[in-house]
Amino acid sequence: MTKYPSMDKEIFLPAEQFFEQTKPTGLTFDDISLATRYSDVLPSDANLGTQLSENISLNLPILSSDMDTVTESEMAIAMALCGGLGILHYNMSKRQQLKEVTRVKYHVHGLIQDPITITADKLIGDVLGLIDQKGFQFRTFPIVEDNGKLLGLLPGRVVKHRYRSRKVTDGMLARNEVYTVKQTDIGEDPIQTADRFFSEHMGIHKLLVVDDNDKLCGLYTLSDIERIIGEAGNHLKPARDHNFRLLCGAAVSIPRLEDGKINQDELIQHVGEMVQQGLNLVAVSTAHGHTQGVGDATKVLRKEFANLTIMAGNVTSGEGVEFLGDCGADIIKVGQGPGSICTTRIVAGVGIPQMSALYAASCKAKKKGLSIVADGGITKSGDIVKALTLTDGVICGSLLAGCKEAPGRIIEIEGKYYKQYRGMGSLEAMRDGSAARYGHSAKDVGAKSAAEGIEALKEVAGSVTETINLLAGGIRSGMGYLGASNLSELKSNARYVRVTPAGQKESSPHDVIEIKNSEFSRS
Ligand code: XMP
């Protein structure tokens, strides 16, 4: 046991005492610092895993924001591969959002359950055309009869321009030459089954799955299996569901009927279609979550989708957390106005500095057994560590908007490269679909409504993996300093101290000429 000298106990306070003594002042990340604690934890051994709901465990407590300049399928795939979660935005048609969910859920997951097939009447030239048209990265295709029965396998080595006028059946491996496994023999661990098969069958790269009637119902490829097995050694492990598919979240707006009531059928149908594709989390995402509308939409979803993880928000109070939890939400988003592109506090005069909001929310969440995530205002990994002392995860917008996986083109201005980053409450974003998030109807945008966000640029920041590695490294350091081997210990070990403006100045590099800055050390 550590000996904790009594003066320490009076200066470095646990959350309850610290926020009790500083109330009612609203504090944010830079207003506080964390005290070091006795530690036998090496940063590299710290476990960043977090359980957000019964069905969602992440290996990294970071989610990408449901903003139209942050999260589409490419970002969601990258986030899940790093162990976190992407929440797809909804400034797109429902059909497009469904497609985005499908892209994430069908990204390399070991067993491809709906492989692309061709029929025996095709020529090799037709296959080349298909590859070109769809942009497929593979050239091997199962050949099936019209009823789906397996006929053979067209190997990539014959899919060549010189054979373009030959029939696919001329170059295929016949049914008796193709390796298959019965669907019923796959067992509980499909990856292990395939891994064993490929080890036992040297030089074979494809294993087809068939049902009792020899109909094709799946495909394993050696490269996918090797990628998944290889992930076991990574320090950031992908976040997958029980079918080995990447986890995926999506935000929804609340559709309304002419009379202003929630259009329940539309909401249920759209979410239902996404759930059928494997969606793991739906977020009822608005600027003000402690409202009848968000509560009712959450209740509708909870009643219809008993096992789906529901996130709702945003709130900044214990009452808001309790309200949304009682309506059926599992995870509550906390944050009003801290975001880098937010102007809510300026426009509406409303919002709570983030650490105080997180503390108020966390007290209720603990009592109600709910998870909370800190949404907005995170500019460096140290902010994440501070947020995680009170929450189960953080949502990042600005830190990820410059990554190559974020939507949007790269713009060059005077030799520097940027990506667009805009608030969902900016006039342009609201015109593109997010007006309801701020309680406006699309036709009011610019007339009866004031923008609560700005349009901005972010300097291009490399890949999500590079960015996340830096952030994860910072979280691990914080955990090492606090002697926390996991996030639950981070919460219990956290001791806070108030920082003055002089202390803030001291916290950043000072009194030197900086020649090389670290991306996340700037405040
Ligand atoms: P960061 O600081 O990571 O914040 O860029 C991202 C979060 O900000 C919220 N958000 C907004 N808040 N007006 C607001 O008041 C806006 O236009 C706006 N757009 C996004 C949102 O919670 C996001 O995750």
Side-chain angles (χ1 to χ4, degrees):
M1 278 302 285
T2 334
K3 282 209 186 75
Y4 213 72
S6 62
M7 267 314 281
D8 291 0
K9 274 189 179 168
E10 284 164 39
I11 308 172
F12 312 130
L13 305 179
E16 312 77 59
Q17 279 176 40
F18 177 77
F19 288 99
E20 190 60 33
Q21 289 191 15
T22 49
K23 75 182 183 194
T25 310
L27 302 176
T28 191
F29 300 117
D30 286 346
D31 292 320
I32 63 146
S33 190
L34 296 166
T36 51
R37 304 294 305 274
Y38 168 78
S39 181
D40 56 6
V41 177
L42 288 176
S44 56
D45 292 338
N47 179 351
L48 305 188
T50 184
Q51 176 106 28
L52 290 184
S53 70
E54 212 175 306
N55 298 323
I56 298 203
S57 298
L58 302 181
N59 297 317
L60 172 84
I62 303 179
L63 294 83
S64 66
S65 176
D66 55 308
M67 296 172 72
D68 61 5
T69 46
V70 179
T71 311
E72 289 182 357
S73 51
E74 216 183 320
M75 174 63 73
I77 289 169
M79 286 301 296
L81 284 172
C82 288
L85 182 74
I87 312 174
L88 300 166
H89 71 88
Y90 59 68
N91 266 10
M92 58 177 104
S93 68
K94 295 193 169 58
R95 212 181 129 97
Q96 183 60 32
Q97 199 184 29
L98 183 62
K99 254 194 201 165
E100 297 287 311
V101 171
T102 310
R103 273 190 203 141
V104 182
K105 297 306 295 186
Y106 280 79
H107 184 81
V108 185
H109 55 82
L111 174 59
I112 300 161
Q113 277 156 335
D114 195 11
I116 308 292
T117 57
I118 45 176
T119 44
D121 55 325
K122 297 285 185 297
L123 301 177
I124 302 263
D126 297 329
V127 180
L128 285 166
L130 184 74
I131 292 174
D132 194 38
Q133 186 197 347
K134 302 273 186 190
F136 290 144
Q137 302 290 310
F138 49 89
R139 300 174 90 74
T140 302
F141 296 85
I143 300 175
V144 293
E145 292 176 17
D146 286 343
N147 63 5
K149 234 173 155 185
L150 183 63
L151 267 182
L153 185 71
L154 185 70
R157 61 175 183 271
V158 303
V159 184
K160 293 203 180 310
H161 191 67
R162 68 173 65 242
Y163 305 130
R164 65 190 176 285
S165 50
R166 304 282 294 270
K167 286 174 118 184
V168 290
T169 42
D170 290 347
M172 77 175 186
L173 295 169
R175 171 68 186 92
N176 60 356
E177 297 170 283
V178 178
Y179 286 93
T180 57
V181 59
K182 279 259 184 77
Q183 197 176 27
T184 43
D185 294 337
I186 287 178
E188 289 209 336
D189 189 342
I191 304 301
Q192 205 185 37
T193 306
D195 187 42
R196 204 170 37 237
F197 168 86
F198 288 123
S199 299
E200 287 165 3
H201 296 79
M202 216 168 153
I204 301 300
H205 291 206
K206 300 278 183 288
L207 172 63
L208 304 186
V209 184
V210 289
D211 68 10
D212 289 341
N213 300 316
D214 213 32
K215 278 191 185 165
L216 181 74
C217 49
L219 167 73
Y220 288 110
T221 80
L222 174 62
S223 54
D224 289 356
I225 297 299
E226 287 189 333
R227 176 126 44 120
I228 289 169
I229 301 283
E231 283 164 5
N234 288 356
H235 72 107
L236 289 175
K237 290 197 180 55
R240 297 187 184 278
D241 62 19
H242 57 275
N243 285 322
F244 286 87
R245 291 184 180 190
L246 297 178
L247 294 186
C248 177
V252 287
S253 69
I254 305 172
R256 301 267 177 192
L257 295 164
E258 290 272 299
D259 62 6
K261 289 206 177 102
I262 294 178
N263 187 337
Q264 297 198 14
D265 294 345
E266 192 179 319
L267 182 63
I268 291 169
Q269 186 183 340
H270 178 50
V271 173
E273 283 174 352
M274 293 196 287
V275 168
Q276 265 190 354
Q277 290 305 313
L279 184 77
N280 305 97
L281 172 151
V282 66
V284 184
S285 213
T286 68
H288 187 6
H290 193 179
T291 54
Q292 188 181 351
V294 177
D296 288 349
T298 305
K299 281 185 197 162
V300 168
L301 290 171
R302 175 49 68 228
K303 192 160 165 235
E304 192 66 26
F305 305 101
N307 298 319
L308 178 65
T309 295
I310 300 177
M311 175 186 269
N314 283 20
V315 300
T316 40
S317 63
E319 283 177 12
V321 168
E322 182 167 39
F323 170 75
L324 290 175
D326 289 347
C327 291
D330 308 283
I331 309 164
I332 321 291
K333 287 210 279 169
V334 181
Q336 281 166 329
S340 58
I341 35 49
C342 300
T343 52
T344 298
R345 294 190 195 158
I346 298 166
V347 171
V350 169
I352 306 293
Q354 193 64 332
M355 280 305 285
S356 293
L358 297 180
Y359 177 66
S362 72
C363 294
K364 203 48 110 176
K366 223 187 292 172
K367 279 206 184 95
K368 304 278 293 182
L370 296 163
S371 294
I372 55 170
V373 289
D375 182 12
I378 285 171
T379 60
K380 46 202 175 313
S381 52
D383 297 344
I384 303 183
V385 178
K386 293 173 190 176
L388 288 173
T389 62
L390 300 169
T391 68
D392 306 285
V394 299
I395 297 185
C396 294
S398 127
L399 280 182
L400 298 166
C403 293
K404 71 176 170 51
E405 292 87 346
R409 282 180 307 115
I410 292 175
I411 308 160
E412 188 192 336
I413 302 173
E414 292 177 355
K416 280 198 160 184
Y417 294 93
Y418 302 89
K419 276 196 151 184
Q420 187 196 16
Y421 180 46
R422 67 183 186 186
M424 293 298 274
S426 65
L427 286 180
E428 282 309 307
M430 288 204 287
R431 281 196 186 106
D432 284 346
S434 55
R437 179 173 173 144
Y438 295 86
H440 307 303
S441 84
K443 59 181 182 346
D444 290 343
V445 171
K448 290 191 205 156
S449 58
E452 288 181 38
I454 58 161
E455 293 180 56
L457 293 174
K458 279 295 292 187
E459 222 172 299
V460 165
S463 69
V464 165
T465 312
E466 286 161 354
T467 303
I468 291 289
N469 270 330
L470 285 171
L471 296 177
I475 304 172
R476 288 175 193 284
S477 294
M479 292 170 75
Y481 278 115
L482 266 68
S485 63
N486 55 44
L487 294 183
S488 141
E489 287 177 12
L490 182 69
K491 283 193 175 93
S492 53
N493 291 0
R495 299 290 181 272
Y496 306 81
V497 68
R498 180 85 166 86
V499 176
T500 63
Q504 282 167 9
K505 194 171 163 223
E506 185 188 61
S507 300
S508 292
H510 52 87
D511 301 310
V512 290
I513 298 165
E514 208 169 328
I515 52 169
K516 198 165 180 216
N517 56 29
S518 133
E519 189 60 26
F520 299 110
S521 69
R522 281 173 283 162
S523 53

